[in-house]
Amino acid sequence: MMRRARSIAYLVPFALIASCAQPFEGRVATRLSEAGLSRPMAECMAERWTDRLTVFQLNKISNLADDLKGDKRRLTVARFIDRVRAVNDTEIFEVVSASTVACALKA
């Protein structure tokens, strides 16, 4: 019994970390959609990102989407990827680029 309790105790931090990504998925999708991407595209991309990026990286993208809301031009996927490249995080760029292609093909 004690052994099982210890095993469960070791899993708690991992469960907490995993649950932190879920609110970011909705928040990132909303901000991308508010910045001008279609809602289905934003939701598809945000879902993929939460599986592959850290909370810190998701915050970077979320902040970028907030910055893009003020831009009066229509947000295209190409413009968004260009802006993501400026974040200077290779992993973010790779995940965002791959998800854009996958989500565009899905739609």
Side-chain angles (χ1 to χ4, degrees):
M1 183 72 139
M2 184 69 141
R3 191 178 201 165
R4 184 174 178 182
R6 269 193 238 142
S7 296
I8 292 172
Y10 287 121
L11 294 176
V12 169
F14 295 109
L16 291 173
I17 290 168
S19 69
C20 288
Q22 291 306 325
F24 284 104
E25 182 178 330
R27 188 173 100 194
V28 170
T30 297
R31 288 187 176 166
L32 289 172
S33 151
E34 289 172 351
L37 291 179
S38 72
R39 187 67 191 191
M41 184 71 159
E43 288 174 353
C44 177
M45 289 172 35
E47 178 182 348
R48 291 171 179 276
W49 299 347
T50 55
D51 291 340
R52 294 169 179 86
L53 298 173
T54 67
V55 172
F56 178 72
Q57 290 171 316
L58 292 169
N59 268 328
K60 281 184 178 181
I61 294 172
S62 186
N63 292 337
L64 174 63
D66 280 345
D67 292 343
L68 290 169
K69 281 194 288 189
D71 194 344
K72 299 300 177 198
R73 296 181 295 168
R74 183 175 167 271
L75 180 63
T76 64
V77 172
R79 278 191 48 234
F80 180 69
I81 289 175
D82 283 341
R83 294 293 298 271
V84 167
R85 185 179 319 208
V87 172
N88 289 325
D89 184 317
T90 307
E91 187 175 17
I92 291 176
F93 180 72
E94 289 171 359
V95 169
V96 168
S97 299
S99 69
T100 359
V101 171
C103 292
L105 293 173
K106 183 179 173 183

